Amino acid sequence: MIKTFHEKLYNNKKKNKYLIKQIELACEIYNHCIALHKRYYRRYKKNLSLYTLQLHITFLKSLKKYIHWNSLNSQTIQELTERIDKGYKKFFDKENKRPPTFKKRKKYKSISFKQSGYKYLGRNRIKIGKKIYKFFYSCPIEGKIKKVTVKRDSLGDLYISIISEVDVEKSNQQTGNAAGFDFGLKNFLVSSEGEVIESPLPLKKSLKAIQKAGKELSRKKTGSSNRQRARLNLARKHKKVRNQRKDFHFKLARNLCLRYDYLFFESLTMKGMVKLWGRKVSDLGFSKFLVIVGWYCKKFSKTLYCIDKFYASSRICHKCGYKNEELSLKDRTWVCPHCKAELERDLNAAINIYKVGASTFGLDEVRLELIKHSLFDPGTPRT
């Protein structure tokens, strides 16, 4: 199992200055590679291959003009060219709307070391180049290290991400419980057991402070020290909102995975929901939450399943199966015309999601339903 340990480096100006120069040098090489791609495409009307690009960069490093590029680790440059090649392939395959573009040095974020250029010295010490760095130690680094990434955020703080391969033993803490969950705008989640989970909505609570900081930034003169301080103040508030949302997602996901062996959700088109309801959908961050739930399910040997997004979970009565075609979004409760049962919209949807998931895995004595369904790939989030 691949696991990522994400830790913050100590704020040491003398040592961190070396890493910042390495990131800015990587940005210089990155922009040069983008220029080569554009020039090659204008001349030959086709994409520059990865092998040709790497061969050309190796040749340039032998010239006097680009001799300073040798101070950057060769595998870091290799990973950089692979990143550009992947971006262009996604663009030509129409997965991305835009190709990779030029970046400013101040906004370039990270460099990676795959097999060389670093040495983990144990606990909270790592050697990068010829310097030893310390980071905040929150948990032991386990497994075989595969990749190390140094990343700079908008505040100028440096973080280190250590990707390692960990042998995870299957958990025997099986509860035998299963539940369906319905995502909503009024409540973050409603379970099939009737539990209502509300979101802290960190962006909504901090919106006035963010808007005030944005106005202060817009009033400052471009290039002044006051503008830089105002920019850092705004970035700090956005970072706090991200951390609050991430903390809520991880704690809730872990709690659910410890309580249930089977978790059933509904796959949703989040981009379409953002267009309809805007900022609140982004503040909830449901798609990122599902990725975190999937990662915890792998860790604790639990099952995550997402039913088809076109299944009418809110319109179908969970008691008799009647489908209410006239139900609108503003109707939070409705009475089934067939069995006269009074239904709460979100709870009814959660129970229907549970029934579909349970029938798929043959849990209890739920009747098998012939529906279209899709499995969800959880991916690997950062810890």
Side-chain angles (χ1 to χ4, degrees), residues 49-92:
S49 69
L50 176 62
Y51 175 74
T52 306
L53 178 62
Q54 291 178 345
L55 197 65
H56 183 69
I57 294 297
T58 304
F59 168 72
L60 290 179
K61 287 165 65 178
S62 63
L63 301 179
K64 186 177 180 179
K65 183 179 179 181
Y66 302 101
I67 195 71
H68 61 286
W69 286 7
N70 289 288
S71 60
L72 190 64
N73 186 271
S74 60
Q75 290 199 353
T76 302
I77 299 176
Q78 184 182 9
E79 193 273 339
L80 185 150
T81 56
E82 290 172 356
R83 192 188 307 177
I84 295 172
D85 185 68
K86 186 178 179 180
Y88 271 104
K89 283 182 178 178
K90 286 186 175 182
F91 171 70
F92 285 110

Side-chain angles (χ1 to χ4, degrees), residues 171-181 193 253-265 293-294 296-305 354 357-358 361 363:
S171 175
N172 294 322
Q173 299 178 358
Q174 302 297 317
T175 62
N177 299 328
F181 299 90
E193 297 178 348
R254 189 178 189 277
N255 183 27
L256 293 178
C257 289
L258 290 176
R259 289 167 55 190
Y260 301 103
D261 290 346
Y262 294 87
L263 297 97
F264 307 123
F265 292 87
V293 172
Y296 271 117
C297 284
K298 278 188 174 181
K299 181 177 180 180
F300 296 124
S301 302
K302 304 300 176 73
T303 301
L304 170 65
Y305 181 79
Y354 166 74
F361 288 90
L363 304 178

Side-chain angles (χ1 to χ4, degrees), residues 281-327:
V281 179
S282 300
D283 196 10
L284 294 171
F286 181 66
S287 57
K288 291 183 179 179
F289 171 73
L290 274 185
V291 173
I292 297 169
V293 172
W295 183 81
Y296 271 117
C297 284
K298 278 188 174 181
K299 181 177 180 180
F300 296 124
S301 302
K302 304 300 176 73
T303 301
L304 170 65
Y305 181 79
C306 288
I307 72 169
D308 185 45
K309 60 185 176 182
F310 295 109
Y311 179 70
S313 58
S314 299
R315 297 176 182 270
I316 297 175
C317 174
H318 70 271
K319 292 187 177 181
C320 66
Y322 174 81
K323 187 175 181 181
N324 187 357
E325 297 287 356
E326 298 179 356
L327 188 69

Side-chain angles (χ1 to χ4, degrees), residues 1 9 49 61 87 93 115 135 137 173 213-214 238 290 321 323 381:
M1 180 180 178
L9 289 175
S49 69
K61 287 165 65 178
D93 292 340
Q115 296 175 351
F135 53 84
Y137 187 74
Q173 299 178 358
H238 278 293
L290 274 185
K323 187 175 181 181

Side-chain angles (χ1 to χ4, degrees), residues 154-331:
S154 55
L155 287 171
D157 295 330
L158 293 176
Y159 292 82
I160 185 165
S161 297
I162 301 175
I163 301 175
S164 64
E165 188 175 357
V166 182
D167 294 330
V168 180
E169 296 182 0
K170 291 188 176 181
S171 175
N172 294 322
Q173 299 178 358
Q174 302 297 317
T175 62
N177 299 328
F181 299 90
D182 178 62
F183 169 73
L185 297 177
K186 187 177 180 181
N187 302 306
F188 184 71
L189 289 178
V190 176
S191 74
S192 56
E193 297 178 348
E195 182 183 3
V196 178
I197 301 169
E198 297 183 357
S199 172
L201 296 174
L203 178 60
K204 183 180 179 181
K205 292 179 180 178
S206 304
L207 189 58
K208 289 185 178 180
I210 290 174
Q211 289 174 342
K212 183 179 178 181
K215 288 180 181 179
E216 291 177 355
L217 175 63
S218 64
R219 295 191 186 106
K220 306 302 179 184
K221 186 177 179 181
T222 304
S224 65
S225 298
N226 286 335
R227 184 177 178 85
Q228 177 65 8
R229 280 193 290 270
R231 186 193 68 79
L232 292 176
N233 182 41
L234 179 61
R236 196 173 292 111
K237 294 185 183 303
H238 278 293
K239 183 178 179 179
K240 181 180 178 181
V241 170
R242 288 195 303 271
N243 289 341
Q244 288 175 336
R245 186 184 299 116
K246 186 177 179 181
D247 179 70
F248 168 70
H249 285 167
F250 269 92
K251 287 179 178 178
L252 177 59
R254 189 178 189 277
N255 183 27
L256 293 178
C257 289
L258 290 176
R259 289 167 55 190
Y260 301 103
D261 290 346
Y262 294 87
L263 297 97
F264 307 123
F265 292 87
E266 187 176 15
S267 57
L268 299 170
T269 307
M270 301 309 299
K271 289 185 179 179
M273 294 182 70
V274 169
K275 289 181 180 179
L276 288 175
W277 296 290
R279 184 168 55 210
K280 186 171 183 179
V281 179
S282 300
D283 196 10
L284 294 171
F286 181 66
S287 57
K288 291 183 179 179
F289 171 73
L290 274 185
V291 173
I292 297 169
V293 172
W295 183 81
Y296 271 117
C297 284
K298 278 188 174 181
K299 181 177 180 180
F300 296 124
S301 302
K302 304 300 176 73
T303 301
L304 170 65
Y305 181 79
C306 288
I307 72 169
D308 185 45
K309 60 185 176 182
F310 295 109
Y311 179 70
S313 58
S314 299
R315 297 176 182 270
I316 297 175
C317 174
H318 70 271
K319 292 187 177 181
C320 66
Y322 174 81
K323 187 175 181 181
N324 187 357
E325 297 287 356
E326 298 179 356
L327 188 69
S328 61
L329 187 62
K330 65 180 180 180
D331 298 327

